[in-house]
Amino acid sequence: MNSMYFKEIQFGKTDASNELIEVGNDYYLSSFLEYERYRIEDFFEGKKYFILGRKGTGKTALLKYMQCKFESNPINLVIPIRFKSDFDEVDRKQVKSAGFMSPEEVIESNNNCLKSYVTAWQVYLIYQIFKRIHSNNSEYSVFSDSKEYSLVWKLLKLIYGEDGGNRIVPKISKGFIKISGGSKGIDATLAAEIELNDNKINYSTTAKKIIDMYQLLLFDRTPVYVLVDELELSVKSKKLREADIELVRDLILAVDKLNRISKVKSYAINFYASVRTDVVDSVLSSGYEINKCVEDYGVTIEWYQRGGDYKSNPLLKLLEKKINSSENAKLKHSSNNVWETYFEEIIHGTEIRKFLLNYSWHRPRDVVRMMQYAQDYCDKETIKINQAVFDRAIQQYSNKMWNEVSEEISLKYSQDDIKAIKKILTGIQVPFNLNSINSRIKELAEHYDYVEQFRNKYKIPDVLELLFDWGIIGNSGERMVFSFLGYKELDITKPMIIHTPLRNFFEVVSGSSSRKREYGN
């Protein structure tokens, strides 16, 4: 057989961590697209250590690729940390407690003194290294044995206990934590410094002592790579989200500080972290000075392409890589042209590759998700996907994408507000302008109380600008203007449209010219 059934193709997962678990390191490496904007060599050489990007742009995918590469050399100690699964509400509260108990860590922002949680993060990351060194049958030798080394490990065990739990910070009460291990090896001077008394120690002074002593250690031979996946921001409330942004801000600063220590002390210890750009933007807009470390040591992943042939878009190259890797694994050869082999050329009057780009937010997660839905709706022995399969897949895809976007919206608007937005956009004719949408809102307000309340609460231009930021609407005209294409501003004086994949969800009415031009070239 010269080709695979479409259902057999491994397009991966929308979450790269799940993908790596399922396919293993070797296949993950073979199917990974070494996208030029990743600047992979800069990360391997330690020149860059922050991976920045919008949700779904492949930050975790790059982090996992680096993990696989580092793990391919058995001498390396590789420590992946995934806060999406490991960081719960208790951790959040404890890290905050640690921050408020650390008066020596203060960030100046305008006229305000703002507490930070940098120390708590640094101690936690240092602990991860020591915990792996002292795990069963460990042959790693990161630091030379010394009095300072023994004391750092002893202090870490006082904080985290002998069993090495996963808590980032133990429970803190009035600045003190209970210790579960004994105090053997702690002399009187150090005991007084960390305020050891009645099986309790001062967390702040102990943490600071650990960081100070960490810098006195002598590196031995084992290279260390700590890879921190992004902390998933809460969507439960605006307050919780803002609190999480503070935690990520200080995680960025902690990673930067530890990497600086490594450079000064010649430690072969590298810390990497993935961070969402909306978090960075929120931090910067709040006046925090993290821009220097992010700009100097970060790489922003973007997949949109302006100009050139749309057929060379990297998202399409990613799909080609996934398909070819699946073929090589199963058939021991790959197709010369995967588009001719597995897809009908024209879907709804649009060339298949342009069609897929039009239905995305120009992120890997979008095209992978579309392929997964296509696999769900095709027959077991289908080789080539046609328009009928995509029609079924698109409806499911559209619903899923709205659910994802509405999570972001819920941080700004109430459920009644979101209900009003949905009512306003459902059945709207595109393109629309400011006058037409104002008239539509006025008309709907006569029939629906929640639309009337929404109309009275908000200025429509402000609402439209937020919908633009979320990638829901954009400008049509000589060029398509959407936030995910790198444009920063919506022009409310020009015609506006709803992004293609959400048109099914909102059942929009298309004007005579609204589908003549899409986002490809």
Side-chain angles (χ1 to χ4, degrees):
M1 187 174 181
N2 293 324
S3 56
M4 301 176 65
Y5 296 128
F6 195 78
K7 280 184 177 291
E8 295 179 312
I9 299 173
Q10 294 192 55
F11 287 105
K13 303 291 184 183
T14 55
D15 188 312
S17 291
N18 294 334
E19 181 177 347
L20 178 57
I21 292 170
E22 182 172 302
V23 303
N25 286 26
D26 290 342
Y27 186 84
Y28 188 90
L29 288 172
S30 70
S31 64
F32 183 82
L33 179 69
E34 295 187 17
Y35 180 34
E36 61 183 19
R37 291 192 183 180
Y38 279 150
R39 296 174 62 179
I40 292 173
E41 289 305 315
D42 284 349
F43 285 99
F44 288 152
E45 294 172 6
K47 296 177 181 177
K48 301 290 183 181
Y49 41 81
F50 292 117
I51 304 170
L52 311 171
R54 295 181 294 129
K55 184 177 182 179
T57 51
K59 300 182 297 301
T60 299
L62 174 54
L63 208 63
K64 291 302 173 183
Y65 175 80
M66 292 164 58
Q67 176 184 332
C68 291
K69 281 290 192 179
F70 293 139
E71 287 176 344
S72 66
N73 188 338
I75 73 168
N76 294 334
L77 171 56
V78 184
I79 306 174
I81 299 173
R82 181 170 167 78
F83 289 123
K84 287 182 178 179
S85 56
D86 298 337
F87 194 66
D88 61 19
E89 199 62 40
V90 175
D91 283 318
R92 285 174 162 86
K93 291 178 180 178
Q94 296 306 330
V95 175
K96 288 178 178 302
S97 297
F100 284 113
M101 292 300 116
S102 302
E104 77 281 2
E105 292 279 354
V106 178
I107 296 177
E108 294 294 338
S109 175
N110 297 326
N111 295 321
N112 299 320
C113 282
L114 301 165
K115 305 294 185 184
S116 81
Y117 321 115
V118 179
T119 297
W121 284 123
Q122 286 180 278
V123 170
Y124 173 77
L125 293 174
I126 291 170
Y127 172 65
Q128 294 304 308
I129 298 173
F130 274 73
K131 183 171 71 171
R132 299 308 197 283
I133 294 172
H134 289 271
S135 62
N136 293 335
N137 301 318
S138 172
E139 297 180 358
Y140 301 119
S141 181
V142 179
F143 299 105
S144 299
D145 193 16
S146 65
K147 178 183 178 181
E148 290 80 12
Y149 176 86
S150 298
L151 284 176
V152 170
W153 180 226
K154 182 64 180 179
L155 291 175
L156 287 169
K157 287 192 291 183
L158 289 181
I159 290 178
Y160 293 100
E162 294 287 344
D163 60 350
N166 289 323
R167 283 282 177 260
I168 295 174
V169 177
K171 185 176 181 180
I172 299 174
S173 176
K174 297 180 180 179
F176 286 81
I177 60 172
K178 289 184 178 181
I179 59 174
S180 56
S183 58
K184 183 179 179 181
I186 304 296
D187 61 30
T189 301
L190 181 57
E193 188 175 349
I194 64 176
E195 300 180 50
L196 173 60
N197 185 38
D198 193 25
N199 277 337
K200 293 180 181 180
I201 57 173
N202 182 297
Y203 175 80
S204 176
T205 56
T206 305
K208 189 176 186 302
K209 187 67 177 179
I210 289 171
I211 295 170
D212 289 343
M213 295 183 70
Y214 173 76
Q215 298 176 66
L216 299 177
L217 304 180
L218 295 176
F219 184 79
D220 190 15
R221 66 174 188 271
T222 300
V224 180
Y225 301 94
V226 181
L227 302 106
V228 184
D229 203 356
E230 63 180 324
L231 190 156
E232 188 72 20
L233 298 179
S234 175
V235 294
K236 295 179 181 179
S237 71
K238 183 178 179 181
K239 183 178 180 180
L240 284 175
R241 185 182 181 87
E242 290 175 347
D244 283 353
I245 286 173
E246 291 181 1
L247 294 178
V248 176
R249 170 203 74 199
D250 289 345
L251 177 58
I252 292 171
L253 293 172
V255 166
D256 185 55
K257 283 177 176 288
L258 288 172
N259 278 320
R260 290 176 184 276
I261 291 172
S262 291
K263 290 177 181 178
V264 171
K265 305 299 294 184
S266 298
Y267 296 166
I269 303 174
N270 292 287
F271 298 83
Y272 302 92
S274 63
V275 186
R276 281 171 53 174
T277 47
D278 57 328
V279 175
V280 175
D281 292 341
S282 296
V283 172
L284 293 177
S285 65
S286 300
Y288 294 100
E289 288 296 325
I290 66 164
N291 56 323
K292 291 181 180 178
C293 61
V294 168
E295 289 177 7
D296 290 344
Y297 301 108
V299 172
T300 301
I301 302 173
E302 297 170 330
W303 294 81
Y304 64 83
Q305 175 181 293
R306 291 186 187 174
D309 185 356
Y310 73 87
K311 294 178 182 178
S312 64
N313 188 288
L315 287 174
L316 302 176
K317 299 299 180 185
L318 182 148
L319 291 179
E320 292 170 7
K321 181 79 171 182
K322 296 289 187 184
I323 295 172
N324 285 154
S325 296
S326 295
E327 290 177 323
N328 286 326
K330 185 175 180 62
L331 307 175
K332 308 306 178 185
H333 67 81
S334 59
S335 302
N336 292 327
N337 189 326
V338 301
W339 304 104
E340 290 181 358
T341 304
Y342 296 103
F343 301 91
E344 293 288 346
E345 181 181 2
I346 303 298
I347 305 294
H348 286 294
T350 304
E351 199 273 333
I352 176 60
R353 284 165 284 194
K354 182 177 286 189
F355 172 84
L356 292 174
L357 293 175
N358 290 344
Y359 272 83
S360 79
W361 276 260
H362 286 247
R363 306 173 301 184
R365 181 176 295 178
D366 305 330
V367 294
V368 168
R369 182 172 282 154
M370 177 66 86
M371 293 300 102
Q372 290 175 337
Y373 284 131
Q375 287 180 316
D376 289 342
Y377 287 102
C378 72
D379 296 331
K380 184 177 180 180
E381 297 185 353
T382 295
I383 294 175
K384 183 174 286 192
I385 298 298
N386 58 24
Q387 181 171 304
V389 171
F390 275 119
D391 283 346
R392 293 192 292 272
I394 285 169
Q395 188 59 56
Q396 192 77 7
Y397 174 79
S398 187
N399 292 340
K400 176 65 177 179
M401 299 313 291
W402 169 250
N403 289 339
E404 189 172 283
V405 171
S406 63
E407 286 186 352
E408 299 292 321
I409 296 176
S410 67
L411 298 170
K412 175 66 179 179
Y413 294 116
S414 68
Q415 288 304 307
D416 279 346
D417 292 338
I418 296 173
K419 186 178 178 182
I421 291 171
K422 184 178 175 183
K423 176 62 68 176
I424 293 164
L425 297 181
T426 299
I428 195 171
Q429 180 170 326
V430 293
F432 59 88
N433 57 39
L434 185 58
N435 288 335
S436 65
I437 197 169
N438 271 322
S439 298
R440 178 174 177 77
I441 293 170
K442 181 179 179 181
E443 181 180 354
L444 290 170
E446 295 176 359
H447 304 283
Y448 301 97
D449 290 341
Y450 58 89
V451 177
E452 174 66 17
Q453 293 169 6
F454 183 83
R455 181 188 178 206
N456 292 333
K457 284 167 64 178
Y458 303 105
K459 295 180 180 179
I460 300 307
D462 293 340
V463 174
L464 295 174
E465 288 179 353
L466 284 172
L467 296 180
F468 172 80
D469 290 341
W470 290 316
I472 299 172
I473 67 170
N475 287 124
S476 63
E478 290 301 316
R479 68 170 186 264
M480 294 295 174
V481 175
F482 282 87
S483 60
F484 53 81
L485 295 177
Y487 294 99
K488 302 300 183 184
E489 298 288 340
L490 176 74
D491 189 341
I492 61 172
T493 67
K494 293 182 178 179
M496 290 167 277
I497 54 173
I498 292 176
H499 184 29
T500 303
L502 293 176
R503 294 181 194 179
N504 283 71
F505 179 82
F506 290 119
E507 301 176 343
V508 304
V509 178
S510 297
S512 59
S513 62
S514 67
R515 293 194 61 84
K516 288 184 179 179
R517 181 177 60 262
E518 296 287 359
Y519 321 137
N521 296 302

